Amino acid sequence: MASFSGRFRDPRSTAYDFISLVVVRCPGCEKAARVAPAPEGPGPGGLMPYRPRRLVCRGCGLSRAWSGRLLALSPGTARPATDPYFGMPLWLQNETRHGWLWAYNLEHLDVIRRFVQATLRERAHWYDTGQKMTLVACLPVWIKRAKNRDEILRAVGRIHTSLIAA
């Protein structure tokens, strides 16, 4: 996998761009569940991250609602990650010898995979949009190191397989 020779341009996305759909571990049956915007109207100020959310599990039928004002993005890779709304463990995560590799959804996992896989990684220029800390810029150093490429890509493969198997 690491022999891929490609180019990655930072799409200038942030963690907030990936929390519209979050795949979590169901607290009822331990299967994959999803946290998505509720069909109700917009939340405070109409901002997407603060819209009411619903945790729904197809395995056991569990359904919970969130309409709070606080969300907590996972702070790092030292421990397992949780979703920003309900605090449930993410489904798409795997422990490596360096720390936890995690993603909110498959789109988020794909950005990480494309970044790690690429041999040429181009950063977003901060002066183009004024946004300095993109998702890629905030990745831990151990994910950015080329010497860890094979290990990270194997972990991405295990994470992807875990969702398909579910």
Side-chain angles (χ1 to χ4, degrees):
M1 249 198 234
S3 63
F4 172 80
S5 176
R7 178 182 201 167
F8 178 85
R9 286 189 176 158
D10 190 344
R12 294 185 175 108
S13 53
T14 66
Y16 290 102
D17 295 325
F18 298 103
I19 60 174
S20 60
L21 172 69
V22 182
V23 183
V24 298
R25 186 169 301 278
C26 176
C29 66
E30 296 292 314
K31 293 184 178 178
R34 49 185 263 172
V35 175
E40 293 92 42
L47 297 173
M48 180 56 129
Y50 299 101
R51 285 185 57 195
R53 302 285 163 160
R54 195 167 298 283
L55 183 144
V56 178
C57 177
R58 289 186 177 178
C60 66
L62 177 79
S63 178
R64 290 188 181 166
W66 177 90
S67 58
R69 294 188 180 267
L70 297 175
L71 43 113
L73 297 175
S74 289
T77 60
R79 59 181 158 233
T82 58
D83 86 278
Y85 300 100
F86 296 94
M88 297 292 129
L90 295 181
W91 184 269
L92 301 175
Q93 60 183 324
N94 194 292
E95 188 173 18
T96 69
R97 64 187 170 117
H98 305 287
W100 286 85
L101 180 67
W102 55 269
Y104 288 124
N105 53 41
L106 286 176
E107 183 183 2
H108 184 191
L109 187 64
D110 184 57
V111 169
I112 294 170
R113 180 195 55 79
R114 288 186 296 115
F115 172 78
V116 170
Q117 199 172 30
T119 54
L120 176 61
R121 300 169 180 169
E122 297 181 28
R123 290 191 241 175
H125 298 290
W126 66 269
Y127 53 80
D128 286 349
T129 61
Q131 182 177 335
K132 294 180 185 177
M133 297 308 288
T134 65
L135 175 81
V136 171
C138 293
L139 286 173
V141 173
W142 62 269
I143 293 177
K144 295 178 182 182
R145 288 203 175 122
K147 70 179 185 177
N148 296 331
R149 182 175 286 136
D150 289 332
E151 181 180 357
I152 307 264
L153 290 175
R154 281 193 305 273
V156 167
R158 285 192 298 270
I159 292 170
H160 194 270
T161 302
S162 75
L163 187 60
I164 292 171

